[in-house]
Amino acid sequence: MASSSTVSIRICQEGHANALALNKDCTQIAVAGRSLLKVFSIESDGFTEVCNMRGGKNQNLSYSSNDVAWSYLEQNILATAATNGVVSVWDLSRFGRHKQLLVYNEHERTAHSVTFHPTEANLLISGSQDGTIKCFDTRTDKGAIMTYFSNSESVRDVKFSPHSPNTFAAVSENGTVQIWDIRRSEKCTTQFTAHSGPIYTCDWHPTQQWLATGSRDKQIKIWNMGSKAALEHTIHTIAVVGRVKWRPDKMFHIASCALVVDYSIYIWDVRRPYIPYASFNEHTNVTTGIGWKGSDPYVLLSTSKDSTIYKHAFKDAQRPSMKSNPQGATVNHRGDFLFAYKTKVTPPITASSSKASLLSSRPKQPTKTDHFHLAKSNLQNFLAKPDQGCFSKDVAHPSPLREFHCFKGCAREYKLVGKSLAELCDHNMNVAKKYGKVHVAMLWMWVKNLYAFSLNNNVKSEPRTSTSGSNLLGSRLMSQTSNQSNNVWEENVGRSDNDESTGLKADDQNFLEQKNGELLSSNQTRIAYPPINDVESDISFNDFIFGDQELTIEHMDCVKNLRNGFLYVGPHFCKEWSLPNSPLIGSDLHAAKHETPPESSQETTPPPHPPSLIKMNSTPYVPFWEPHDVLADCLTLQADIGDVQTSISILIALGEKRNELPIDKSVHEHWLLVYIDLLHRYQMWNEATTIMNLSWMPNICMINEQSTAVYTNCGICGRHLASRAGWYCSKCRSSDASKCSVCNTIVRGLYAWCQGCSHGGHLDHLKQWFTIHSKCPICGHLCEYE
């Protein structure tokens, strides 16, 4: 079979296969789906269709199959599990519609799995969405001969053990594994919780007492079922596990495919749980069924949602382990550093090998069986110096232990709700100072000064443009709404004795009024100040930019010659003036400073020459400044340097004001997930739950709602305790399960128990027991794996 190559065939244009099965000789393959039920013969160069059992006109939901199984002893007998709960038995030796030999309508909901007994040709079991397992005798059509109640939401897969003919395993959506004796339907022999999510598949090892389970938690677990369930290996995948199948003649190899997202088929070595040994990447959609061709470990058959069947040759498989990085490093909160690197394995030099090397210079190629075992790596451990305390004196280079304590201290002591924003900022600022985070304390103080008062609630984020600084000069600097392109305010230099209100002669005033709004000549003065009488002033930004004092013409008490927007700047009638001292005002405004004679020396006659105007080179303005943009940049910077705690804490404290920040909602969700993950790593469960409850993202609030069901069973009979009577078992008619396994007294306080064997007791007693022992004090179960 090593000479075979990878081939494929398209099986259906209307749908795809959900499962496959091989006959006992491994010469034919049956594929079943919602609109498909066909049998193909396996050729060396492809597949040939043998039978199509959906060719008739009268078809119903019993033809829509979720699973298919071929009898281990009969060549022509098939069984299918339908989406409407029907279990059908097919005889390929018959013709037309008579191929559907038996129809069992026992299940109330969808049937997920079906399988034949390995030694009894007439026994067939099926698992359903209704939580039951049915056993059928194909010699009769009267229905199920036995019913097994799993006390779970749904049974997803059932498999007979090859080592014990009367034993089969059933996996459920509540994450439990049950081992049943087919002769006893009252209760299972063994039950334990294997995964934190639904289990979709299981498979028995052909030679070892191992049971493999695949779950939605993206893990494949190998359980040793010799005496009690003991976890042997755990494989971590990148997607939800849909199917698993042990590889023949390879003790440590198992194949798997994903239920969603991932299209590849992986072959895992259970001793290397993170990198696949080999992979097949031919399918263009999710793989739905896998199976090895009998005892041949080099041919794998698969079906997919791309409506194809593939016969994969192992020599064509990809080897991800060859492309993986052999180096790795990690640092813990104490500053300890671990570094792993690959080492070259050289076989020992012997006398025979040295003679062989003299005869031939060509090195010997390693065999396939030795390839995996030649991989070797070393691990170096570098410990941090013990004299590095929690808070080192070097603030610029804090120790990892200091950062760890700062993170935990701030997470516990920060107050994010329950008080006003000013009080929250003051408290969190003091907490940040307490742990030496000076820059974070300054950021909290800045947030308080900017957002903690109602005057700034109306500040809206506006887009920046190239003309924002000049166009917003009147509204931001002088609190006036004006258009610079249409209004030009000029300053006159004359004063009239006849017109005391304006300080100008009638002719000069008429002349300047005609020129008002036009582009002035080169000897004119252009100062962009609005007139006094403009009543359309916007004062929403006065306190924001200039504090308590509004910058208007009235506050320029030294400018006494300003009338109707014109300022007299003649050679004999000007006084010294200046603007309020503010760092936000450009230096061009302070350049216009003139010396004036005393009041007694001023002349009362008009100047001997017409008023002169001076042109200024640039218009003074205050640069446009958005506080929301600045705060968004600060929070993004904190997250980029690894301090996502500060970013999330400020966003929560801001409340609804966080919506004004120009930060995308997806970034909010990413920061929340990162912060919650950090809290979980440090086992700060209460703080992480608080963040979830305070979150404004629906996806974050729903994290704690996943896998929240807790199932309790009687420690004596193993029956599921569904009543509200606590630990009282209705079957045993006693509450002995509520007694402590160590002291044998009724627990009246906090009760802890193992979900595998259902035995428990006082929390303190169990802690003391498991510090010395590893097994349950009553049944000897390895409770550490639950």
Side-chain angles (χ1 to χ4, degrees):
M1 299 301 297
S3 60
S4 63
S5 58
T6 300
V7 294
S8 67
I9 185 175
R10 187 169 182 84
I11 56 177
C12 184
Q13 298 291 337
E14 296 83 14
H16 61 268
N18 291 328
L20 61 83
L22 284 87
N23 62 350
K24 64 175 185 177
D25 298 330
C26 296
T27 58
Q28 293 181 340
I29 179 175
V31 291
R34 291 183 178 271
S35 58
L36 171 70
L37 188 55
K38 293 183 179 180
V39 177
F40 296 86
S41 65
I42 305 173
E43 310 292 343
S44 59
D45 56 347
F47 301 89
T48 303
E49 183 176 330
V50 176
C51 179
N52 183 8
M53 286 169 279
R54 291 207 58 168
K57 297 181 179 179
N58 297 327
Q59 296 181 1
N60 50 43
L61 290 177
S62 63
Y63 287 79
S64 180
S65 304
N66 281 331
D67 194 19
V68 60
W70 209 308
S71 175
Y72 293 99
L73 303 176
E74 298 290 340
Q75 184 72 25
N76 296 319
I77 300 300
L78 285 173
T80 58
T83 56
N84 62 346
V86 171
V87 176
S88 303
V89 179
W90 306 79
D91 189 351
L92 300 181
S93 60
R94 299 195 175 194
F95 297 95
R97 291 182 297 171
H98 298 286
K99 284 185 172 62
Q100 193 173 14
L101 183 63
L102 298 170
V103 177
Y104 299 106
N105 294 288
E106 295 291 319
H107 290 296
E108 298 177 357
R109 301 180 65 183
T110 300
H112 290 298
S113 178
V114 63
T115 184
F116 281 94
H117 195 280
T119 57
E120 297 289 339
N122 300 317
L123 291 184
L124 173 72
I125 61 173
S126 62
S128 170
Q129 185 75 23
D130 58 11
T132 62
I133 305 165
K134 302 285 185 177
C135 179
F136 304 97
D137 190 340
T138 57
R139 293 172 294 188
T140 178
D141 58 352
K142 294 182 180 180
I145 60 176
M146 279 192 178
T147 301
Y148 310 89
F149 295 93
S150 65
N151 294 324
S152 64
E153 300 174 359
S154 172
V155 178
R156 297 302 300 236
D157 198 6
V158 289
K159 288 290 190 302
F160 276 105
S161 172
H163 316 292
S164 179
N166 295 322
T167 302
F168 68 89
V171 294
S172 306
E173 284 192 359
N174 59 3
T176 61
V177 175
Q178 293 178 339
I179 307 299
W180 292 85
D181 191 319
I182 196 172
R183 298 165 295 184
R184 300 176 58 187
S185 61
E186 59 273 11
K187 72 169 186 176
C188 60
T189 59
T190 305
Q191 176 178 340
F192 60 95
T193 302
H195 294 268
S196 60
I199 306 176
Y200 295 125
T201 180
C202 67
D203 191 41
W204 288 92
H205 196 281
T207 59
Q208 302 293 322
Q209 290 283 349
W210 290 353
L211 177 66
T213 58
S215 170
R216 191 175 67 181
D217 61 5
K218 304 178 184 178
Q219 291 181 350
I220 302 172
K221 291 187 177 182
I222 314 301
W223 303 90
N224 190 347
M225 307 302 297
S227 57
K228 291 291 182 178
L231 183 63
E232 292 286 341
H233 303 280
T234 301
I235 298 173
H236 301 268
T237 66
I238 62 174
V240 177
V241 182
R243 304 276 184 178
V244 292
K245 201 73 176 178
W246 287 100
R247 186 183 179 191
D249 297 335
K250 301 294 180 180
M251 177 177 176
F252 298 102
H253 286 190
I254 187 172
S256 73
C257 62
L259 190 64
V260 291
V261 177
D262 193 8
Y263 303 160
S264 300
I265 304 171
Y266 298 108
I267 314 299
W268 300 88
D269 192 304
V270 296
R271 297 163 295 180
R272 178 182 282 171
Y274 296 99
I275 303 176
Y277 177 76
S279 67
F280 299 100
N281 309 315
E282 285 80 10
H283 284 299
T284 59
N285 208 329
V286 175
T287 304
T288 56
I290 54 177
W292 297 95
K293 189 180 178 183
S295 60
D296 190 355
Y298 299 104
V299 177
L300 178 68
L301 298 161
S302 66
T303 60
S304 170
K305 288 185 177 181
D306 58 9
S307 301
T308 58
I309 308 176
Y310 265 89
K311 183 181 76 171
H312 305 275
F314 207 83
K315 63 183 180 65
D316 298 330
Q318 301 291 328
R319 300 299 177 95
S321 59
M322 297 296 183
K323 303 177 181 179
S324 62
N325 186 5
Q327 280 72 237
T330 183
V331 181
N332 66 358
H333 68 273
R334 298 184 180 88
D336 301 336
F337 181 77
L338 286 178
F339 175 65
Y341 59 94
K342 184 179 179 181
T343 57
K344 185 178 180 180
V345 179
T346 56
I349 300 176
T350 60
S352 58
S353 61
S354 61
K355 292 180 181 180
S357 61
L358 294 176
L359 297 176
S360 176
S361 60
R362 185 176 181 179
K364 184 180 179 180
Q365 297 293 333
T367 61
K368 294 184 178 179
T369 57
D370 296 333
H371 178 75
F372 176 78
H373 300 283
L374 288 178
K376 185 179 179 181
S377 61
N378 287 344
L379 183 66
Q380 296 290 338
N381 187 6
F382 301 93
L383 300 178
K385 294 182 180 180
D387 57 347
Q388 291 184 354
C390 175
F391 297 97
S392 60
K393 296 181 179 180
D394 189 1
V395 180
H397 303 282
S399 63
L401 186 60
R402 165 190 161 84
E403 295 180 358
F404 166 70
H405 284 284
C406 290
F407 179 85
K408 295 188 68 174
C410 292
R412 289 195 179 103
E413 300 181 25
Y414 271 166
K415 291 184 179 180
L416 306 178
V417 291
K419 295 183 179 181
S420 64
L421 180 58
E423 294 174 339
L424 294 177
C425 293
D426 287 335
H427 174 80
N428 297 337
M429 178 180 61
N430 295 329
V431 172
K433 288 181 180 179
K434 174 184 175 181
Y435 290 98
K437 304 175 74 171
V438 181
H439 295 84
V440 176
M442 294 178 61
L443 184 57
W444 279 109
M445 181 179 63
W446 190 75
V447 172
K448 171 192 172 183
N449 295 333
L450 186 62
Y451 288 93
F453 303 102
S454 59
L455 289 178
N456 300 319
N457 289 342
N458 297 326
V459 180
K460 302 295 182 181
S461 178
E462 300 176 3
R464 297 181 182 179
T465 60
S466 58
T467 59
S468 296
S470 58
N471 291 342
L472 294 176
L473 174 64
S475 61
R476 294 297 173 89
L477 178 62
M478 304 297 294
S479 302
Q480 304 289 342
T481 55
S482 61
N483 190 341
Q484 184 180 358
S485 61
N486 299 326
N487 299 303
V488 178
W489 297 287
E490 303 172 354
E491 299 185 2
N492 199 320
V493 231
R495 177 186 296 229
S496 173
D497 294 334
N498 301 326
D499 191 356
E500 296 294 339
S501 62
T502 60
L504 298 174
K505 290 184 179 181
D507 297 337
D508 296 336
Q509 185 175 358
N510 295 333
F511 170 77
L512 291 177
E513 287 178 353
Q514 294 176 1
K515 291 295 183 179
N516 188 17
E518 301 177 0
L519 185 63
L520 304 181
S521 58
S522 59
N523 61 342
Q524 291 176 332
T525 302
R526 178 184 298 173
I527 301 179
Y529 291 148
I532 300 176
N533 298 330
D534 192 352
V535 295
E536 299 178 358
S537 60
D538 182 10
I539 61 173
S540 59
F541 295 95
N542 294 336
D543 294 335
F544 172 70
I545 297 183
F546 294 105
D548 297 330
Q549 186 177 9
E550 177 183 356
L551 182 60
T552 58
I553 301 301
E554 289 85 351
H555 294 97
M556 302 180 190
D557 50 359
C558 57
V559 184
K560 297 183 177 180
N561 295 324
L562 187 62
R563 297 291 185 274
N564 294 330
F566 301 99
L567 182 66
Y568 181 80
V569 292
H572 303 290
F573 301 97
C574 288
K575 284 190 176 183
E576 182 178 357
W577 60 276
S578 62
L579 291 177
N581 189 12
S582 174
L584 298 177
I585 301 177
S587 59
D588 293 336
L589 292 178
H590 297 281
K593 189 176 182 181
H594 307 279
E595 296 183 357
T596 59
E599 289 287 340
S600 58
S601 61
Q602 290 185 6
E603 300 181 4
T604 59
T605 58
H609 51 78
S612 61
L613 299 175
I614 304 174
K615 178 181 175 60
M616 300 182 67
N617 294 329
S618 61
T619 303
Y621 67 94
V622 178
F624 182 66
W625 181 64
E626 271 295 345
H628 304 306
D629 292 343
V630 177
L631 181 57
D633 294 340
C634 292
L635 298 184
T636 304
L637 177 61
Q638 290 297 125
D640 291 342
I641 65 177
D643 186 15
V644 72
Q645 180 186 52
T646 300
S647 302
I648 289 300
S649 300
I650 292 177
L651 288 178
I652 296 176
L654 284 176
E656 295 299 328
K657 297 179 182 178
R658 75 175 75 94
N659 298 326
E660 300 295 335
L661 302 181
I663 302 178
D664 193 75
K665 297 299 181 182
S666 60
V667 178
H668 289 186
E669 183 176 357
H670 175 67
W671 288 353
L672 285 166
L673 291 174
V674 171
Y675 187 37
I676 293 172
D677 181 65
L678 288 174
L679 293 174
H680 284 169
R681 290 188 181 185
Y682 293 131
Q683 299 182 0
M684 305 181 70
W685 316 115
N686 294 335
E687 289 75 10
T689 303
T690 302
I691 297 299
M692 295 178 194
N693 294 334
L694 296 177
S695 171
W696 57 97
M697 308 292 295
N699 295 337
I700 305 299
C701 298
M702 295 173 58
I703 293 179
N704 272 356
E705 300 178 6
Q706 301 174 1
S707 301
T708 56
V710 178
Y711 298 93
T712 57
N713 303 293
C714 178
I716 300 175
C717 65
R719 185 181 181 89
H720 180 61
L721 301 177
S723 63
R724 298 183 179 179
W727 288 97
Y728 178 79
C729 180
S730 58
K731 182 179 180 181
C732 299
R733 297 183 181 276
S734 68
S735 59
D736 292 340
S738 63
K739 293 182 179 180
C740 179
S741 302
V742 180
C743 65
N744 200 28
T745 59
I746 296 178
V747 180
R748 300 187 183 279
L750 186 61
Y751 186 90
W753 76 98
C754 172
Q755 293 191 7
C757 64
S758 301
H759 297 125
H762 296 94
L763 180 60
D764 295 335
H765 293 176
L766 293 178
K767 284 184 177 180
Q768 295 175 5
W769 174 267
F770 284 108
T771 54
I772 304 174
H773 308 84
S774 60
K775 296 183 178 180
C776 177
I778 293 182
C779 62
H781 177 252
L782 292 174
C783 300
E784 60 178 320
Y785 298 110
E786 303 302 331

